[in-house]
Amino acid sequence: MISASRVSKRYVKYEDTPTLIGRLIRPPGRTHKSVLWAIRDASFEIGRGECVGIIGRNGSGKSTLLRMLAGVTAPTEGIVEVNGRVAPLIAVGVGFHPELTGRENVYVNGTVLGLTRRQIEERFDDIVSFADIGPFIDTPVKFYSSGMFVRLGFSVSVLAEPEVLLVDEVLAVGDIAFQLRCFDRMMEIQSAGTTIVVVSHNLNAVRLMCQRTMVLHNGVIRHDGDTDHAVSLYHDLLGEPRDAEAAEGRGEFAVEAAGEIERFDLIDGDGHSTRHVNSADEVSFFIDVRFDKPVQHPIVGFAVYTATGVEVYRTSTPWQGDGVYEPGTRTRFSVRVRPALAAGSYTAHLSLVNGTGASHTPVATPLMFYVAGRREALGIADLRAQFDVLTSQSADDPDL
Amino acid sequence: MLTTRKGFRLDGGPTPAAALVGDVWRARSVLAILARKEFFVRYRRASLGLAWAIVLPLVQAIVLSVVVSRFVRFHTGVNYAVFVYSGTLAWNYFSGSLSAGAGAIVDGQDMSTKVYFPRALFPLTAVASGLYGLVLSMFVLLALSVAVGAGVGLHAFLLIPALGLTILLSASFSLVLALLQVYFRDIRYIVQASLIAWFYITPVFYPLRAVGHLRPYVQANPVTGIVELFRAATVGTDPGWGVAIWWTFGWSAALLVLAVRLYRTYDRTCTDLL
C-alpha cells in the first residue's frame, strides 16, 4: 500500500532568501545556505489496513515524512510509492473559505480530496450528521465556532473513505465526545481496509490505535515495530539532546547558586534508572546535590506536569528541616511516589529552594517519563474507580 | 502523479511531461470547483453581486473614452466608447489573470502545502475564475456593437477562437510567473509594474493603424492579437491583425513549453520554500 525505499529528503535553508536581483548580481556560490536532511535513508512498507504510528521529538522529521506520504513534496533521494487515494489530515478543512457555507465548503473540500460530485452527494448527509453541524450547514463557515469548523473538516476527510488516511495531531482538537467518535470511526474504516498513519505527540492515542510504531530521531528511523517498545525508546531519546541543551547555559533561575544538581534521576523499585514506569509501582525521583556554600534548612520541592504543561501535582517537604549542609558535602534528596496516573508522558521537577521559593541551585532540566497506565484509565489521574451496581427498588414502589 | 485511485510514485527526478499534463487533466474537476469558488466568493455579499463583473469594465471603458477623446480623436469607424470597451475586455481579463495568477501558488500555500494536486492548478484557477466575467462581458460587447450599428454577422463566431486564444495566452503567462514567484518574490511586483506600461503599448484605446511606424512592435505584443481578434469579431478592426495573432500564438507556445519544463522539475518541490 505504502512503500518507501531509501528515502531521503533535503531542505535547503537560505539564510538570506535569494531575491531576483540578488541572484543576478551576486556571483554564484556565494549565497548563504545551509542544508538540512530532514529524513535520511528511510525504508519501510505499510500494508493495507495497517495502522502505524510515527513518534519523535519536534523537528525529528515526522511532518516531512507525512508530507511525502501525502505526495505534497517529493523525496530528494529514494522512492515513495502510495497505491491508493490519500486523505491527509495534515490540516482539516483544506480549502475552506470563510465566506462559503458549510455545504459549499464540503463540496470544495471533498473535490480537493479526490471525490467526484456524485460521491460527495452520496456521503453528504453522513458528513453533516457526523460533524453534528445540523442547521448550520447552510451558514457561512466564518460564523462557525472553531470546534464546528474542525468537526466539519474532519468529517469530510474521514467520510471520504480514503484508502490511506494520514493523521497529524488532529485528535487534539474538538470536544471529547467528538474525539471518541473520530476514534471509533477511524478504527471502523481501518477494519474496512483503510491504511492509517498517525503522527502524534499523544502517545496514548498512538498506543491505543497502533500496534506498530516508528520512532524518528533526527531524520532517522530508530525503531519500527512494537508500539510499547517504541514508546520507551522515545523517552530514552528525549533525554539525550535536552541534557546537552541544559548543560550549556542554565542557572538564570538560581538567585545565588549555593550548589549544583549533579544528577536528577528516576529509579524503579529495584533501584534501576528508568523513564518508563508502571502506574501501580512505587518509584523514586532523586537529585544529588553538591554544596559549594553552606545552606541551611533547604526545602525540597516536587512537581509533576503533563506533557502539555498541566500541573498534575505539586508539593514540598513539610519540614523546615534542621539540616545544615556544609560546602563540599554531597547529598541525595529523594521523593518516593506511586504514580497513580493515566497512561501518558509527564515531566517531573525537583528542586531545592529556600523559604522564599528561590532555588539554591541552577534548576535541573525537567525529567520526562512515561507512565504505562491501565488501559481503562483515561485522562490524567487514575482514581482507580470501582464500579458497583446496586439493585434499586422498582419505580412503582409505594414507599417512594 | 496525482492522488487518484491509482496513487503515486515519487522519486527525485522530473515528472514525465505526459504524466504532468495527464495529472492536470484528471484534476479538471478540482480546477472547476476552485475557479467557481473564487469567482463567486468575490461578489458574495455585494448587493449588486455578479453585476459588478459587467459594470466595472463598462465604467472603465466609458471613463477612458471620455478622457482620451478630449485630447485625441481616433477614427475608429464605430462609437469610440464601444471601441474602447472591446479593448478593455480582453486587456482586463489578461491583466487580471496575470496579477492573480503570478501569486497563485504562493497565496495558495494553505492548500498547496497540505494536499497534493498539480501546482499548475493554482495559476490556472486564477485564469479560469475570470472566465465568468469575460463571457458575460462578451455578450454585452455583442449587444453594444449591434446597438452602435456595427452589425452582427458570421464574423461574430470569431469570438470563440478569441476566447480560446485569450485563455491560452493568459494561462501560459500565469503558469510561468506563478512558479517563478515561489523562488523570486519580486515577480509579482515586476508584473504589476509591467502591466501599467503594457497597457499603453496595447491598442486598447487606439486603433492599430494609429501607431504608424511602431506597428511592428505593437504587433509583437502578444496582447495585441487577442484585442484585435475581439474587434474583428465585433466592431471591426484594421488590416494587420493577422500578424499580431501569429505573435500571440508564438508567445503562448514558447511560454507553454517553458512552463512544462519548469513544472516537470518543480511541481512537487516548489512548496518546500513556502
Short mmCIF file of all heavy atoms in Angstrom, two decimals, chain A residues 9 11 18 20 23 67 69 71-75 78-82 84-85 88 91 94-95 97 99-100 104 107 111-112 163, chain B residues 4-5 7-12 29-30 33 37 41 44-45 111-117 119 183-184 186 190 268 271-272:
data_model
loop_
_atom_site.label_atom_id
_atom_site.label_comp_id
_atom_site.label_asym_id
_atom_site.label_seq_id
_atom_site.Cartn_x
_atom_site.Cartn_y
_atom_site.Cartn_z
N LYS A 9 15.27 13.21 2.36
CA LYS A 9 14.73 14.50 1.94
C LYS A 9 15.64 15.61 2.44
O LYS A 9 15.93 15.69 3.63
CB LYS A 9 13.33 14.69 2.52
CG LYS A 9 12.73 16.06 2.23
CD LYS A 9 12.40 16.23 0.76
CE LYS A 9 11.90 17.63 0.47
NZ LYS A 9 11.67 17.83 -0.98
N TYR A 11 16.33 19.65 2.70
CA TYR A 11 15.81 21.01 2.57
C TYR A 11 17.00 21.95 2.51
O TYR A 11 17.97 21.78 3.24
CB TYR A 11 14.94 21.40 3.77
CG TYR A 11 13.57 20.79 3.74
CD1 TYR A 11 13.19 19.82 4.65
CD2 TYR A 11 12.64 21.20 2.79
CE1 TYR A 11 11.92 19.27 4.63
CE2 TYR A 11 11.37 20.65 2.75
CZ TYR A 11 11.02 19.69 3.68
OH TYR A 11 9.77 19.15 3.64
N PRO A 18 17.11 34.06 -1.39
CA PRO A 18 17.60 34.71 -2.59
C PRO A 18 16.50 35.56 -3.24
O PRO A 18 15.36 35.17 -3.30
CB PRO A 18 17.97 33.54 -3.50
CG PRO A 18 17.14 32.42 -3.01
CD PRO A 18 16.96 32.63 -1.55
N LEU A 20 15.54 38.09 -6.66
CA LEU A 20 15.84 38.10 -8.09
C LEU A 20 17.10 38.92 -8.36
O LEU A 20 18.02 38.46 -9.02
CB LEU A 20 14.66 38.68 -8.85
CG LEU A 20 14.76 38.63 -10.36
CD1 LEU A 20 14.89 37.20 -10.82
CD2 LEU A 20 13.53 39.26 -10.97
N ARG A 23 20.18 37.24 -6.97
CA ARG A 23 20.60 36.13 -7.79
C ARG A 23 21.40 36.64 -9.00
O ARG A 23 22.36 36.03 -9.44
CB ARG A 23 19.34 35.42 -8.24
CG ARG A 23 19.32 34.00 -8.66
CD ARG A 23 20.30 33.06 -8.11
NE ARG A 23 19.91 32.27 -6.96
CZ ARG A 23 19.12 31.22 -7.02
NH1 ARG A 23 18.59 30.83 -8.12
NH2 ARG A 23 18.87 30.54 -5.93
N ARG A 67 4.37 14.48 4.87
CA ARG A 67 4.15 15.28 3.65
C ARG A 67 4.51 14.48 2.41
O ARG A 67 3.88 14.62 1.37
CB ARG A 67 4.98 16.56 3.71
CG ARG A 67 4.34 17.64 4.58
CD ARG A 67 5.34 18.72 4.91
NE ARG A 67 5.83 19.38 3.72
CZ ARG A 67 5.61 20.65 3.43
NH1 ARG A 67 4.90 21.38 4.24
NH2 ARG A 67 6.08 21.18 2.33
N LEU A 69 4.31 11.20 2.20
CA LEU A 69 3.27 10.20 2.02
C LEU A 69 2.00 10.82 1.44
O LEU A 69 1.23 10.17 0.75
CB LEU A 69 2.95 9.51 3.35
CG LEU A 69 4.09 8.73 3.99
CD1 LEU A 69 3.62 8.00 5.24
CD2 LEU A 69 4.72 7.74 3.02
N GLY A 71 2.18 13.09 -0.71
CA GLY A 71 2.52 13.48 -2.07
C GLY A 71 2.73 14.97 -2.23
O GLY A 71 2.85 15.47 -3.34
N VAL A 72 2.79 15.68 -1.11
CA VAL A 72 2.91 17.14 -1.19
C VAL A 72 4.32 17.54 -1.58
O VAL A 72 4.54 18.55 -2.25
CB VAL A 72 2.50 17.78 0.16
CG1 VAL A 72 2.88 19.23 0.21
CG2 VAL A 72 1.01 17.62 0.36
N THR A 73 5.28 16.73 -1.18
CA THR A 73 6.65 17.02 -1.61
C THR A 73 7.30 15.71 -2.02
O THR A 73 6.84 14.63 -1.62
CB THR A 73 7.44 17.75 -0.50
OG1 THR A 73 8.69 18.17 -1.04
CG2 THR A 73 7.68 16.85 0.69
N ALA A 74 8.31 15.82 -2.84
CA ALA A 74 8.97 14.61 -3.35
C ALA A 74 10.28 14.40 -2.60
O ALA A 74 10.90 15.36 -2.16
CB ALA A 74 9.23 14.76 -4.84
N PRO A 75 10.69 13.15 -2.45
CA PRO A 75 11.97 12.91 -1.78
C PRO A 75 13.13 13.39 -2.66
O PRO A 75 13.01 13.45 -3.87
CB PRO A 75 12.00 11.40 -1.61
CG PRO A 75 11.10 10.87 -2.66
CD PRO A 75 10.04 11.90 -2.87
N GLY A 78 15.69 8.36 -3.29
CA GLY A 78 14.82 7.24 -2.95
C GLY A 78 13.44 7.38 -3.57
O GLY A 78 13.17 8.32 -4.32
N ILE A 79 12.60 6.41 -3.25
CA ILE A 79 11.29 6.34 -3.90
C ILE A 79 10.19 6.18 -2.86
O ILE A 79 10.29 5.34 -1.96
CB ILE A 79 11.24 5.16 -4.89
CG1 ILE A 79 12.23 5.41 -6.04
CG2 ILE A 79 9.84 4.97 -5.43
CD1 ILE A 79 12.48 4.19 -6.88
N VAL A 80 9.18 6.98 -2.97
CA VAL A 80 7.98 6.83 -2.15
C VAL A 80 6.87 6.38 -3.07
O VAL A 80 6.65 6.97 -4.11
CB VAL A 80 7.57 8.16 -1.50
CG1 VAL A 80 6.23 8.01 -0.78
CG2 VAL A 80 8.63 8.63 -0.52
N GLU A 81 6.18 5.32 -2.68
CA GLU A 81 5.10 4.84 -3.52
C GLU A 81 3.86 4.64 -2.67
O GLU A 81 3.91 4.04 -1.61
CB GLU A 81 5.50 3.50 -4.16
CG GLU A 81 5.05 3.38 -5.56
CD GLU A 81 5.73 2.21 -6.28
OE1 GLU A 81 6.87 1.85 -5.92
OE2 GLU A 81 5.09 1.66 -7.16
N VAL A 82 2.76 5.20 -3.10
CA VAL A 82 1.50 5.05 -2.40
C VAL A 82 0.47 4.58 -3.40
O VAL A 82 0.26 5.22 -4.42
CB VAL A 82 1.05 6.38 -1.75
CG1 VAL A 82 -0.32 6.20 -1.10
CG2 VAL A 82 2.06 6.84 -0.72
N GLY A 84 -3.11 4.22 -3.74
CA GLY A 84 -4.44 4.44 -3.20
C GLY A 84 -4.71 5.91 -3.04
O GLY A 84 -3.81 6.73 -3.11
N ARG A 85 -5.96 6.21 -2.85
CA ARG A 85 -6.36 7.60 -2.69
C ARG A 85 -6.04 8.05 -1.27
O ARG A 85 -6.44 7.40 -0.30
CB ARG A 85 -7.86 7.73 -2.96
CG ARG A 85 -8.34 9.13 -3.14
CD ARG A 85 -9.65 9.13 -3.93
NE ARG A 85 -10.60 8.19 -3.37
CZ ARG A 85 -11.43 8.50 -2.36
NH1 ARG A 85 -11.40 9.69 -1.83
NH2 ARG A 85 -12.26 7.59 -1.90
N PRO A 88 -5.26 13.36 3.44
CA PRO A 88 -4.38 13.84 4.50
C PRO A 88 -5.18 14.63 5.52
O PRO A 88 -6.01 15.44 5.16
CB PRO A 88 -3.41 14.76 3.76
CG PRO A 88 -4.13 15.19 2.54
CD PRO A 88 -5.27 14.23 2.29
N ALA A 91 -4.05 18.95 7.67
CA ALA A 91 -4.87 20.06 8.14
C ALA A 91 -6.29 19.73 7.76
O ALA A 91 -6.55 19.33 6.64
CB ALA A 91 -4.45 21.35 7.47
N VAL A 94 -9.04 21.76 4.36
CA VAL A 94 -8.19 22.38 3.35
C VAL A 94 -9.07 23.04 2.30
O VAL A 94 -9.98 22.42 1.75
CB VAL A 94 -7.29 21.33 2.68
CG1 VAL A 94 -6.57 21.93 1.49
CG2 VAL A 94 -6.29 20.79 3.67
N GLY A 95 -8.81 24.29 2.04
CA GLY A 95 -9.57 24.99 1.02
C GLY A 95 -10.88 25.57 1.53
O GLY A 95 -11.63 26.13 0.76
N HIS A 97 -13.34 28.10 2.68
CA HIS A 97 -13.36 29.55 2.55
C HIS A 97 -14.38 30.12 3.52
O HIS A 97 -15.53 29.67 3.55
CB HIS A 97 -13.70 29.96 1.13
CG HIS A 97 -13.44 31.41 0.87
ND1 HIS A 97 -14.22 32.39 1.41
CD2 HIS A 97 -12.46 32.03 0.18
CE1 HIS A 97 -13.74 33.57 1.04
NE2 HIS A 97 -12.67 33.37 0.30
N GLU A 99 -16.24 32.69 3.62
CA GLU A 99 -17.48 33.27 3.11
C GLU A 99 -18.45 32.20 2.60
O GLU A 99 -19.63 32.48 2.43
CB GLU A 99 -17.19 34.24 1.96
CG GLU A 99 -16.55 35.55 2.38
CD GLU A 99 -17.54 36.50 3.07
OE1 GLU A 99 -18.75 36.22 3.08
OE2 GLU A 99 -17.07 37.51 3.60
N LEU A 100 -17.93 31.02 2.32
CA LEU A 100 -18.81 29.98 1.78
C LEU A 100 -19.53 29.27 2.91
O LEU A 100 -19.03 29.20 4.03
CB LEU A 100 -18.00 28.97 0.97
CG LEU A 100 -17.31 29.48 -0.28
CD1 LEU A 100 -16.56 28.35 -0.96
CD2 LEU A 100 -18.31 30.08 -1.24
N GLU A 104 -21.24 24.36 0.79
CA GLU A 104 -20.35 24.67 -0.34
C GLU A 104 -18.92 24.22 -0.04
O GLU A 104 -18.23 23.66 -0.90
CB GLU A 104 -20.37 26.17 -0.63
CG GLU A 104 -21.71 26.64 -1.18
CD GLU A 104 -21.88 28.15 -1.11
OE1 GLU A 104 -21.44 28.77 -0.12
OE2 GLU A 104 -22.47 28.70 -2.03
N TYR A 107 -18.30 20.54 -0.56
CA TYR A 107 -18.09 20.18 -1.97
C TYR A 107 -16.68 20.55 -2.44
O TYR A 107 -16.03 19.76 -3.12
CB TYR A 107 -19.16 20.83 -2.86
CG TYR A 107 -20.44 20.04 -2.86
CD1 TYR A 107 -21.45 20.31 -1.96
CD2 TYR A 107 -20.58 18.96 -3.72
CE1 TYR A 107 -22.60 19.55 -1.93
CE2 TYR A 107 -21.73 18.19 -3.70
CZ TYR A 107 -22.74 18.48 -2.81
OH TYR A 107 -23.86 17.71 -2.78
N THR A 111 -13.90 17.64 -3.22
CA THR A 111 -13.32 17.56 -4.57
C THR A 111 -11.79 17.61 -4.48
O THR A 111 -11.09 16.85 -5.17
CB THR A 111 -13.81 18.74 -5.44
OG1 THR A 111 -15.22 18.81 -5.33
CG2 THR A 111 -13.40 18.55 -6.88
N VAL A 112 -11.30 18.48 -3.61
CA VAL A 112 -9.85 18.57 -3.43
C VAL A 112 -9.29 17.24 -2.95
O VAL A 112 -8.19 16.84 -3.32
CB VAL A 112 -9.52 19.72 -2.44
CG1 VAL A 112 -8.08 19.65 -1.99
CG2 VAL A 112 -9.81 21.06 -3.08
N GLU A 163 -8.29 5.46 0.91
CA GLU A 163 -7.59 4.19 1.08
C GLU A 163 -6.40 4.36 2.02
O GLU A 163 -5.95 3.42 2.64
CB GLU A 163 -7.13 3.66 -0.28
CG GLU A 163 -8.31 3.09 -1.04
CD GLU A 163 -8.21 3.31 -2.53
OE1 GLU A 163 -8.09 4.46 -2.98
OE2 GLU A 163 -8.26 2.32 -3.26
N THR B 4 -4.97 10.01 -7.19
CA THR B 4 -6.24 9.44 -7.64
C THR B 4 -6.32 8.02 -7.14
O THR B 4 -5.53 7.61 -6.29
CB THR B 4 -6.31 9.40 -9.17
OG1 THR B 4 -5.17 8.71 -9.63
CG2 THR B 4 -6.34 10.79 -9.75
N ARG B 5 -7.21 7.26 -7.68
CA ARG B 5 -7.32 5.86 -7.32
C ARG B 5 -5.99 5.13 -7.47
O ARG B 5 -5.71 4.20 -6.76
CB ARG B 5 -8.35 5.17 -8.24
CG ARG B 5 -9.75 5.64 -8.01
CD ARG B 5 -10.68 4.48 -7.71
NE ARG B 5 -11.79 4.94 -6.90
CZ ARG B 5 -11.86 4.81 -5.60
NH1 ARG B 5 -10.91 4.19 -4.94
NH2 ARG B 5 -12.88 5.26 -4.93
N GLY B 7 -3.01 6.25 -7.03
CA GLY B 7 -1.93 6.59 -6.14
C GLY B 7 -0.80 7.26 -6.87
O GLY B 7 -0.99 7.81 -7.96
N PHE B 8 0.40 7.22 -6.31
CA PHE B 8 1.51 7.90 -6.96
C PHE B 8 2.83 7.24 -6.59
O PHE B 8 2.93 6.44 -5.67
CB PHE B 8 1.54 9.38 -6.58
CG PHE B 8 1.58 9.62 -5.09
CD1 PHE B 8 2.77 9.58 -4.39
CD2 PHE B 8 0.40 9.89 -4.40
CE1 PHE B 8 2.81 9.81 -3.03
CE2 PHE B 8 0.43 10.11 -3.03
CZ PHE B 8 1.63 10.07 -2.35
N ARG B 9 3.83 7.60 -7.36
CA ARG B 9 5.17 7.09 -7.12
C ARG B 9 6.10 8.28 -7.26
O ARG B 9 6.09 8.96 -8.28
CB ARG B 9 5.51 6.03 -8.17
CG ARG B 9 6.88 5.43 -8.03
CD ARG B 9 7.06 4.40 -9.15
NE ARG B 9 8.25 3.60 -8.94
CZ ARG B 9 9.47 3.98 -9.31
NH1 ARG B 9 9.64 5.15 -9.90
NH2 ARG B 9 10.50 3.19 -9.10
N LEU B 10 6.86 8.55 -6.23
CA LEU B 10 7.71 9.74 -6.24
C LEU B 10 9.16 9.36 -6.14
O LEU B 10 9.56 8.60 -5.27
CB LEU B 10 7.39 10.63 -5.03
CG LEU B 10 5.97 11.16 -4.90
CD1 LEU B 10 5.84 11.88 -3.58
CD2 LEU B 10 5.66 12.08 -6.04
N ASP B 11 9.95 9.88 -7.05
CA ASP B 11 11.39 9.82 -6.84
C ASP B 11 11.90 11.23 -7.05
O ASP B 11 11.13 12.15 -7.27
CB ASP B 11 12.03 8.80 -7.79
CG ASP B 11 11.59 9.00 -9.21
OD1 ASP B 11 11.37 10.16 -9.60
OD2 ASP B 11 11.46 8.01 -9.94
N GLY B 12 13.19 11.40 -6.96
CA GLY B 12 13.70 12.75 -7.03
C GLY B 12 13.61 13.38 -8.42
O GLY B 12 13.69 14.58 -8.56
N SER B 29 -11.83 18.65 -12.45
CA SER B 29 -12.99 18.96 -11.61
C SER B 29 -12.57 19.82 -10.42
O SER B 29 -13.34 20.66 -9.95
CB SER B 29 -13.67 17.67 -11.14
OG SER B 29 -12.77 16.90 -10.39
N VAL B 30 -11.35 19.59 -9.93
CA VAL B 30 -10.83 20.43 -8.85
C VAL B 30 -10.67 21.86 -9.37
O VAL B 30 -11.05 22.83 -8.71
CB VAL B 30 -9.47 19.89 -8.34
CG1 VAL B 30 -8.93 20.78 -7.22
CG2 VAL B 30 -9.61 18.47 -7.85
N ILE B 33 -14.10 23.56 -9.65
CA ILE B 33 -14.78 23.95 -8.41
C ILE B 33 -14.02 25.08 -7.70
O ILE B 33 -14.61 25.98 -7.12
CB ILE B 33 -15.02 22.73 -7.47
CG1 ILE B 33 -16.12 23.06 -6.47
CG2 ILE B 33 -13.77 22.32 -6.76
CD1 ILE B 33 -16.73 21.86 -5.80
N LYS B 37 -15.50 28.74 -7.00
CA LYS B 37 -15.45 29.28 -5.65
C LYS B 37 -14.85 30.68 -5.66
O LYS B 37 -15.40 31.61 -5.09
CB LYS B 37 -14.61 28.34 -4.77
CG LYS B 37 -14.27 28.91 -3.41
CD LYS B 37 -13.36 27.98 -2.62
CE LYS B 37 -12.00 28.59 -2.42
NZ LYS B 37 -11.14 27.85 -1.51
N VAL B 41 -17.09 33.87 -4.62
CA VAL B 41 -16.73 34.48 -3.35
C VAL B 41 -16.45 35.97 -3.53
O VAL B 41 -16.74 36.79 -2.68
CB VAL B 41 -15.50 33.75 -2.75
CG1 VAL B 41 -14.80 34.62 -1.75
CG2 VAL B 41 -15.93 32.45 -2.11
N ARG B 44 -19.76 37.78 -3.51
CA ARG B 44 -20.73 37.45 -2.48
C ARG B 44 -20.85 38.63 -1.51
O ARG B 44 -19.91 39.30 -1.20
CB ARG B 44 -20.27 36.20 -1.73
CG ARG B 44 -21.24 35.78 -0.67
CD ARG B 44 -21.13 34.32 -0.39
NE ARG B 44 -21.56 33.52 -1.54
CZ ARG B 44 -21.84 32.22 -1.45
NH1 ARG B 44 -21.72 31.61 -0.31
NH2 ARG B 44 -22.20 31.54 -2.51
N ARG B 45 -22.04 38.84 -1.06
CA ARG B 45 -22.34 39.89 -0.09
C ARG B 45 -22.20 41.29 -0.65
O ARG B 45 -22.28 42.26 0.08
CB ARG B 45 -21.47 39.74 1.16
CG ARG B 45 -21.76 38.45 1.93
CD ARG B 45 -20.82 38.26 3.08
NE ARG B 45 -20.85 39.40 3.99
CZ ARG B 45 -21.82 39.64 4.85
NH1 ARG B 45 -22.82 38.83 4.93
NH2 ARG B 45 -21.76 40.69 5.65
N MET B 111 -3.29 25.55 1.03
CA MET B 111 -3.71 24.32 0.39
C MET B 111 -2.52 23.56 -0.19
O MET B 111 -2.41 22.35 -0.01
CB MET B 111 -4.69 24.67 -0.72
CG MET B 111 -5.85 23.74 -0.81
SD MET B 111 -6.90 24.11 -2.20
CE MET B 111 -7.53 25.71 -1.79
N SER B 112 -1.63 24.29 -0.86
CA SER B 112 -0.59 23.59 -1.62
C SER B 112 0.41 22.89 -0.73
O SER B 112 1.09 21.96 -1.16
CB SER B 112 0.13 24.56 -2.56
OG SER B 112 0.78 25.57 -1.83
N THR B 113 0.54 23.29 0.55
CA THR B 113 1.49 22.61 1.41
C THR B 113 0.82 21.46 2.16
O THR B 113 1.47 20.78 2.94
CB THR B 113 2.11 23.57 2.44
OG1 THR B 113 1.05 24.19 3.16
CG2 THR B 113 2.95 24.62 1.78
N LYS B 114 -0.48 21.26 1.92
CA LYS B 114 -1.15 20.24 2.71
C LYS B 114 -1.73 19.09 1.92
O LYS B 114 -1.80 17.98 2.41
CB LYS B 114 -2.25 20.90 3.53
CG LYS B 114 -1.65 21.43 4.81
CD LYS B 114 -2.33 22.60 5.36
CE LYS B 114 -1.43 23.27 6.38
NZ LYS B 114 -1.65 24.69 6.45
N VAL B 115 -2.18 19.38 0.74
CA VAL B 115 -2.76 18.31 -0.05
C VAL B 115 -2.22 18.48 -1.45
O VAL B 115 -1.99 19.60 -1.91
CB VAL B 115 -4.30 18.36 0.02
CG1 VAL B 115 -4.84 19.72 -0.32
CG2 VAL B 115 -4.92 17.32 -0.88
N TYR B 116 -1.97 17.34 -2.10
CA TYR B 116 -1.37 17.46 -3.42
C TYR B 116 -2.41 17.45 -4.53
O TYR B 116 -3.25 16.57 -4.59
CB TYR B 116 -0.35 16.36 -3.70
CG TYR B 116 0.20 16.50 -5.10
CD1 TYR B 116 1.14 17.48 -5.37
CD2 TYR B 116 -0.30 15.75 -6.15
CE1 TYR B 116 1.60 17.68 -6.65
CE2 TYR B 116 0.15 15.95 -7.44
CZ TYR B 116 1.11 16.92 -7.68
OH TYR B 116 1.54 17.14 -8.95
N PHE B 117 -2.37 18.43 -5.36
CA PHE B 117 -2.86 18.32 -6.72
C PHE B 117 -1.89 19.16 -7.53
O PHE B 117 -1.14 19.95 -6.97
CB PHE B 117 -4.33 18.73 -6.89
CG PHE B 117 -4.71 20.00 -6.20
CD1 PHE B 117 -4.40 21.22 -6.75
CD2 PHE B 117 -5.40 19.97 -4.99
CE1 PHE B 117 -4.78 22.40 -6.12
CE2 PHE B 117 -5.77 21.14 -4.35
CZ PHE B 117 -5.45 22.36 -4.92
N ARG B 119 0.42 21.64 -9.05
CA ARG B 119 0.54 23.06 -8.69
C ARG B 119 0.08 23.96 -9.80
O ARG B 119 -0.28 25.11 -9.57
CB ARG B 119 1.97 23.43 -8.36
CG ARG B 119 2.68 22.49 -7.47
CD ARG B 119 2.09 22.39 -6.11
NE ARG B 119 3.04 21.71 -5.27
CZ ARG B 119 2.75 20.95 -4.26
NH1 ARG B 119 1.51 20.78 -3.92
NH2 ARG B 119 3.70 20.38 -3.57
N TYR B 183 10.11 31.31 -6.16
CA TYR B 183 11.55 31.44 -5.93
C TYR B 183 12.00 32.89 -5.87
O TYR B 183 12.97 33.20 -5.19
CB TYR B 183 12.31 30.68 -7.02
CG TYR B 183 12.05 29.19 -6.94
CD1 TYR B 183 11.02 28.60 -7.66
CD2 TYR B 183 12.79 28.40 -6.07
CE1 TYR B 183 10.75 27.25 -7.54
CE2 TYR B 183 12.52 27.05 -5.95
CZ TYR B 183 11.50 26.48 -6.69
OH TYR B 183 11.23 25.14 -6.55
N PHE B 184 11.31 33.75 -6.61
CA PHE B 184 11.70 35.16 -6.64
C PHE B 184 10.48 36.01 -6.32
O PHE B 184 9.61 36.19 -7.16
CB PHE B 184 12.25 35.53 -8.02
CG PHE B 184 13.36 34.64 -8.47
CD1 PHE B 184 13.17 33.73 -9.49
CD2 PHE B 184 14.61 34.68 -7.86
CE1 PHE B 184 14.18 32.89 -9.90
CE2 PHE B 184 15.63 33.85 -8.25
CZ PHE B 184 15.42 32.95 -9.28
N ASP B 186 10.02 38.98 -6.13
CA ASP B 186 9.87 40.26 -6.82
C ASP B 186 8.91 40.15 -8.00
O ASP B 186 8.40 41.16 -8.48
CB ASP B 186 11.20 40.76 -7.37
CG ASP B 186 12.22 40.93 -6.28
OD1 ASP B 186 12.18 41.96 -5.61
OD2 ASP B 186 13.06 40.02 -6.09
N ILE B 190 7.07 43.07 -10.25
CA ILE B 190 7.52 43.33 -11.61
C ILE B 190 6.33 43.21 -12.57
O ILE B 190 6.15 44.04 -13.47
CB ILE B 190 8.64 42.34 -12.01
CG1 ILE B 190 9.89 42.62 -11.16
CG2 ILE B 190 8.97 42.44 -13.50
CD1 ILE B 190 11.00 41.63 -11.33
N ARG B 268 6.57 19.20 -7.63
CA ARG B 268 6.42 18.64 -6.28
C ARG B 268 7.19 19.42 -5.23
O ARG B 268 6.83 19.40 -4.07
CB ARG B 268 6.93 17.19 -6.25
CG ARG B 268 6.09 16.22 -7.02
CD ARG B 268 4.95 15.68 -6.19
NE ARG B 268 4.16 14.76 -7.00
CZ ARG B 268 3.06 14.15 -6.59
NH1 ARG B 268 2.62 14.34 -5.38
NH2 ARG B 268 2.40 13.36 -7.38
N THR B 271 6.84 23.86 -3.18
CA THR B 271 6.25 24.32 -1.92
C THR B 271 7.19 24.12 -0.73
O THR B 271 6.89 24.57 0.36
CB THR B 271 4.93 23.59 -1.63
OG1 THR B 271 5.13 22.21 -1.87
CG2 THR B 271 3.83 24.12 -2.50
N ASP B 272 8.32 23.47 -0.94
CA ASP B 272 9.29 23.35 0.15
C ASP B 272 9.73 24.73 0.63
O ASP B 272 10.13 24.90 1.77
CB ASP B 272 10.54 22.58 -0.32
CG ASP B 272 10.24 21.11 -0.52
OD1 ASP B 272 9.11 20.70 -0.23
OD2 ASP B 272 11.13 20.39 -0.98
#
